[in-house]
Amino acid sequence: VKMGQNPMDLTEVGEIHESEYEAAKKWLGDTGFYVCNHEGHNAMANLLARMEFMATTLGVKVIVLDHITAAATAMMADEDANNERILIDGLMKSIRSLCVRTGVHIDIISQLRKSDKAYEEGSRITLQDLRGSGSLSSVPNTVIGLERDRQNANDKEANTTIVRVLKNRLTGRAGVASGLYYDRDTSRLEEVDPNFDSTPEFA
């Protein structure tokens, strides 16, 4: 959906004519949006080469790696290593170098390590909760945690994600930045005040 337009009512979508499909495919191609499935391309050098190709040849300004844990797990056999932490350390170092060299912005999605915390119930995320390697918190300029209490009886809270800045190298400011409410009727995220009465830590 283009910005400013009303969301599509998916319940009224029937068969799509071939010309509509081609027009939509052309529009998407003109946006500069690319999707690369890194599964099956396990070598670290292969993944980094693809990212550099996007940045230098395709002119991509922002790359989202989703997620680094899966990438490292897939690389373990190919790189002849059995230590996830070491692989992530090497990958993060190379990604940092790629960003400095090309100017591309890279967002890295990370899983959280298993602990006694109930993340599905909105438990607060810290830098120590990132799974795999300390480099996930030390190398990036910014680290952001997304928290949501999916089990909350209040629909508003159950569908609101708390955006928490865990690290900010530029200014040093951290803490709750915003709340994002997912509207199921429009399939869009709406920025809201995260100050829920039931969670005074957001006050």
Side-chain angles (χ1 to χ4, degrees):
V1 178
K2 293 182 179 180
M3 293 298 292
Q5 291 185 345
N6 293 327
M8 181 184 297
D9 185 355
L10 298 179
T11 62
E12 297 182 1
V13 175
E15 293 186 4
I16 299 177
H17 192 272
E18 184 66 25
S19 61
E20 293 178 303
Y21 173 78
E22 291 299 328
K25 188 167 69 171
K26 181 181 184 305
W27 175 82
L28 186 60
D30 292 340
T31 64
F33 177 79
Y34 302 91
V35 177
C36 174
N37 183 357
H38 62 74
E39 292 185 13
H41 306 286
N42 301 336
M44 185 183 298
N46 188 307
L47 178 60
L48 292 169
R50 287 167 178 265
M51 295 171 72
E52 181 148 2
F53 174 78
M54 290 180 180
T56 58
T57 303
L58 298 180
V60 171
K61 302 299 183 185
V62 177
I63 295 175
V64 179
L65 175 58
D66 183 13
H67 51 80
I68 193 167
T69 311
T73 300
M75 290 175 186
M76 288 177 72
D78 191 79
E79 299 291 337
D80 194 25
N82 57 7
N83 192 312
E84 183 180 78
R85 180 187 61 79
I86 293 176
L87 277 171
I88 292 179
D89 283 346
L91 189 55
M92 290 295 293
K93 180 180 178 180
S94 298
I95 288 175
R96 177 78 186 189
S97 175
L98 176 62
C99 291
V100 172
R101 189 171 64 255
T102 66
V104 68
H105 175 101
I106 300 180
D107 289 327
I108 298 173
I109 311 300
S110 171
Q111 287 187 324
L112 301 175
R113 65 182 177 85
K114 293 182 178 179
S115 70
D116 294 333
K117 291 185 178 182
Y119 298 117
E120 70 278 3
E121 296 181 10
S123 289
R124 181 171 175 174
I125 298 172
T126 68
L127 289 174
Q128 287 69 39
D129 293 323
L130 302 179
R131 172 183 162 179
S133 167
S135 62
L136 290 170
S137 61
S138 62
V139 174
N141 291 330
T142 306
V143 180
I144 297 173
L146 302 178
E147 306 164 353
R148 182 164 68 93
D149 183 1
R150 295 181 292 178
Q151 307 300 321
N152 200 297
N154 183 301
D155 184 71
K156 185 78 171 180
E157 294 192 35
N159 289 286
T160 297
T161 298
I162 302 303
V163 181
R164 185 185 298 277
V165 178
L166 303 177
K167 175 185 176 181
N168 184 343
R169 182 170 281 151
L170 180 62
T171 67
R173 297 182 63 185
V176 174
S178 182
L180 297 174
Y181 172 68
Y182 177 71
D183 189 327
R184 295 182 181 278
D185 293 330
T186 63
S187 297
R188 289 184 174 182
L189 288 172
E190 172 189 353
E191 188 170 10
V192 296
D193 184 355
N195 183 20
F196 299 126
D197 292 337
S198 60
T199 51
E201 67 173 284
F202 298 138

